[in-house]
Amino acid sequence: MKRIMVLGVSAGVGKSTFAKRLGEKLDIDVYHLDRFYWEPGWQEATLEDFSARQREVVEKDQWIIEGNYRPTYEIRAERADTIIYLELPLMICLFRVLKRWWTHRGSTRPDLGEGCSERMEAAFLKFIVTTYRKRKKNMQERLLSFQEIGREKRVIQLRSKKDIQKFLDHAFSD
């Protein structure tokens, strides 16, 4: 595993935290798509700029890129050798989103772009709740297509906090 995509079913599933811990274990730089996408003051980057930032990273020999962003999925998938998909129950994701907001309110998280202070909007929570099941189904289809790209591609699905911890604790031990 040298070029790793970390995807998740929803916000709050733990993509950023997992990617950071994995990067520390493997000594590979971690890139957060939210940092590429969000300009200061929560302004959206153009698709052109967002894509260019990703293309620059995927040309490197090693990387971990976390985030979903379906419109640019192929940029990462083409060069990735591994996808790690996190799927936790909806209620855990919602709890974590609220906890993250409470913990970081008024400041900018390390996985966000500069000048993007943590915020919470009802529309964001509604989006998580109303799209969770469909995203779960769509992700399975996407993961199957990734495996069909080539045999050298690896998909790892972690569906519980215990599975995630076990993977991080034991996947790289001698």
Side-chain angles (χ1 to χ4, degrees):
M1 293 192 305
K2 292 187 175 197
R3 295 180 308 278
I4 305 162
M5 292 172 63
V6 176
L7 303 174
V9 68
S10 173
V13 77
K15 296 180 296 292
S16 297
T17 302
F18 177 84
K20 180 181 179 223
R21 292 179 62 201
L22 184 61
E24 290 167 357
K25 281 229 177 235
L26 298 175
D27 194 28
I28 296 177
D29 290 336
V30 175
Y31 301 89
H32 305 280
L33 290 182
D34 283 343
R35 287 189 63 85
F36 292 164
Y37 187 76
W38 293 110
E39 304 282 350
W42 290 99
Q43 297 299 310
E44 296 177 28
T46 65
L47 182 58
E48 196 173 278
D49 288 344
F50 183 51
S51 298
R53 291 169 185 155
Q54 291 176 67
R55 283 190 191 97
E56 187 177 316
V57 171
V58 300
E59 290 306 314
K60 297 179 181 193
D61 290 334
Q62 295 184 16
W63 45 262
I64 297 172
I65 300 176
E66 70 82 14
N68 292 346
Y69 290 94
R70 188 179 45 170
T72 60
Y73 172 84
E74 291 303 322
I75 293 171
R76 302 177 307 278
E78 187 175 298
R79 289 265 304 144
D81 58 36
T82 305
I83 285 184
I84 300 175
Y85 170 68
L86 308 179
E87 184 180 288
L88 295 176
L90 175 60
M91 293 312 290
I92 290 174
C93 295
L94 284 171
F95 172 78
R96 286 179 170 183
V97 164
L98 291 169
K99 180 181 173 188
R100 179 176 71 193
W101 164 73
W102 183 256
T103 303
H104 297 283
R105 66 192 185 287
S107 64
T108 300
R109 295 190 328 257
D111 57 317
L112 283 176
E114 290 296 319
C116 294
S117 294
E118 185 66 32
R119 64 182 186 180
M120 179 55 57
E121 297 175 349
F124 182 54
L125 294 175
K126 181 179 179 185
F127 169 80
I128 293 169
V129 171
T130 59
T131 63
Y132 179 86
R133 283 185 185 21
K134 184 174 182 171
R135 289 169 65 87
K136 196 169 157 177
K137 179 180 179 270
N138 290 344
M139 280 293 193
Q140 290 305 311
E141 293 169 5
R142 188 179 295 166
L143 296 174
L144 281 174
S145 72
F146 181 77
Q147 287 177 304
E148 292 169 2
I149 291 172
R151 291 188 187 150
E152 72 280 1
K153 308 282 187 179
R154 182 174 175 200
V155 174
I156 299 164
Q157 297 190 52
L158 304 172
R159 291 200 168 103
S160 70
K161 291 191 283 185
K162 183 179 177 182
D163 287 347
I164 292 168
Q165 190 60 53
K166 186 176 174 183
F167 179 82
L168 289 169
D169 288 345
H170 303 292
F172 312 103
S173 56
D174 296 334

